[in-house]
Amino acid sequence: MRIASYLHAGRRHCGVVEGDVVRPLPEGTSPLDAPGARPAGPAVPLSDVRLLPPLEPATVRDFVTFEEHVEGVRRSVDGDAGVPEAWYDAPTFYFTNPYAVVGPYDDVPVPPGSRVLDFELEVAVVVGRAGRDLTPEQARDHILGYTILNDWSARDLQSREMQVRLGPCKGKDTATTLGPYLVTADELEQYRDDEGFLRLALTAEVNGEVVGKDLLSNMSWTFEEMIAYASRGTWVRPGDVLGSGTCGNGGCLAELWGLRGERNPPPLTPGDIVTLTVQGLGSVSNTVVAGTEPVPVPSARRRARERP
């Protein structure tokens, strides 16, 4: 099943996509409840609706599970070579902004103050059932489905702020594309390999030119293992989104910059169109537009350290 959230005739709907039409589900149906609902109205051509993010996530955890991506981006952003040994210990993630989620064809503004904008081609898994301290085997039953994720990144902001060693901040805070649909897990079982990975072809294009291609099965952890780790000592709940991290072989520009030693292709600028395609999930295509100027905030005041 392909579940869509969309605007039609000025109202928000949830529906099931069949071919080039979407069939609305009963009013009030959540994308998380859609697999158990039946269409309750006439089909509407997809060309007549505006697709929204397929869900409004409760949380967004973004992992980094592609070794090749770590190699290239670390060289580009941090100036270091190789992969940190700690990366191999467990599937690392950070929490990103659920309020920054945008739709599959929405415009994406340049983050305030950034001059080095990048895309990141990922696949996200959506949790459908709550769980805690799950095993990977248990986690499979907690997967509702999958969607494409584009983790837009302001590389200049990211590079500077991560020197504080706290993690991405405003470098990852302006936009995260989800879409075009939420594809239920059963639809992708045909692509699962013997090790439990989903062998899906991934393609990234900028202005119609292919800049990256990879396979999702090049992940070093499965989605089930990612969910199990995320649930360690805490809860994952319905609507949580977990990103795979960026694929290799041109899954983002920064990886290519690190490998080539120059910013080729150049950073994204207003007017650029980024199209990401994932086998079995569809395509998202966003146009970069000018952003706002940053609201001034003073730098740190160097104060004397008084004591009570």
Side-chain angles (χ1 to χ4, degrees):
M1 177 182 288
R2 294 170 178 259
I3 303 162
S5 295
Y6 61 97
L7 289 177
H8 180 245
R11 297 182 62 185
R12 184 186 182 99
H13 301 270
C14 177
V16 177
V17 176
E18 299 175 357
D20 58 359
V21 301
V22 57
R23 299 186 181 277
L25 295 172
E27 187 172 351
T29 301
S30 161
L32 304 177
D33 301 326
R38 292 185 176 182
V44 179
L46 283 171
S47 58
D48 291 346
V49 309
R50 176 192 166 198
L51 287 175
L52 303 171
L55 76 159
E56 296 178 338
T59 64
V60 182
R61 295 173 177 86
D62 204 7
F63 286 71
V64 53
T65 69
F66 288 85
E67 187 178 27
E68 187 175 11
H69 169 75
V70 177
E71 285 182 302
V73 170
R74 191 178 188 220
R75 187 179 295 111
S76 175
V77 175
D78 301 329
D80 297 326
V83 177
E85 193 61 32
W87 178 82
Y88 297 96
D89 294 345
T92 306
F93 66 89
Y94 72 97
F95 280 95
T96 191
N97 188 356
Y99 306 122
V101 170
V102 299
Y105 307 112
D106 291 344
D107 291 343
V108 169
V110 176
S114 176
R115 299 292 182 269
V116 189
L117 180 61
D118 196 1
F119 69 88
E120 300 201 46
L121 170 53
E122 308 187 24
V123 170
V125 65
V126 179
V127 174
R129 290 175 51 201
R132 182 186 176 101
D133 291 311
L134 300 170
T135 66
E137 293 73 22
Q138 292 169 331
R140 181 168 296 187
D141 292 333
H142 291 253
I143 294 176
L144 175 60
Y146 303 88
T147 191
I148 299 173
L149 187 153
N150 186 345
D151 175 33
W152 299 86
S153 301
R155 296 301 187 188
D156 45 354
L157 305 185
Q158 177 190 5
S159 179
R160 178 66 175 172
E161 66 197 8
M162 288 190 70
Q163 294 178 33
V164 183
R165 300 192 180 278
L166 188 59
C169 182
K170 286 298 173 183
K172 299 274 194 174
D173 207 36
T174 295
T176 301
T177 301
L178 293 180
Y181 318 117
L182 172 57
V183 179
T184 53
D186 58 297
E187 295 256 343
L188 298 186
E189 279 304 306
Q190 60 183 307
Y191 301 104
R192 193 176 295 278
D193 67 17
D194 293 340
E195 295 182 276
F197 293 91
L198 297 174
R199 195 176 189 278
L200 306 179
L202 314 172
T203 305
E205 300 174 68
V206 177
N207 299 327
E209 179 180 348
V210 174
V211 296
K213 282 190 171 185
D214 202 4
L215 289 172
L216 188 62
S217 50
N218 285 328
M219 296 167 63
S220 291
W221 290 273
T222 66
F223 286 106
E224 290 83 359
E225 291 164 342
M226 290 160 51
I227 292 173
Y229 187 66
S231 75
R232 182 183 293 180
T234 189
W235 287 91
V236 291
R237 297 192 181 277
D240 286 351
V241 166
L242 288 71
S244 65
T246 308
C247 68
N249 195 39
C252 69
L253 298 177
E255 179 204 328
L256 298 176
W257 301 338
L259 294 172
R260 297 171 180 175
E262 60 178 354
R263 287 180 179 170
N264 178 33
L268 301 170
T269 57
D272 286 338
I273 301 173
V274 177
T275 302
L276 309 181
T277 302
V278 177
Q279 184 179 11
L281 297 181
S283 296
V284 298
S285 189
N286 301 97
T287 300
V288 177
V289 297
T292 60
E293 290 299 312
V295 175
V297 175
S299 57
R301 297 169 178 83
R302 301 179 184 272
R303 299 174 60 83
R305 296 176 183 177
E306 300 180 6
R307 300 289 185 264

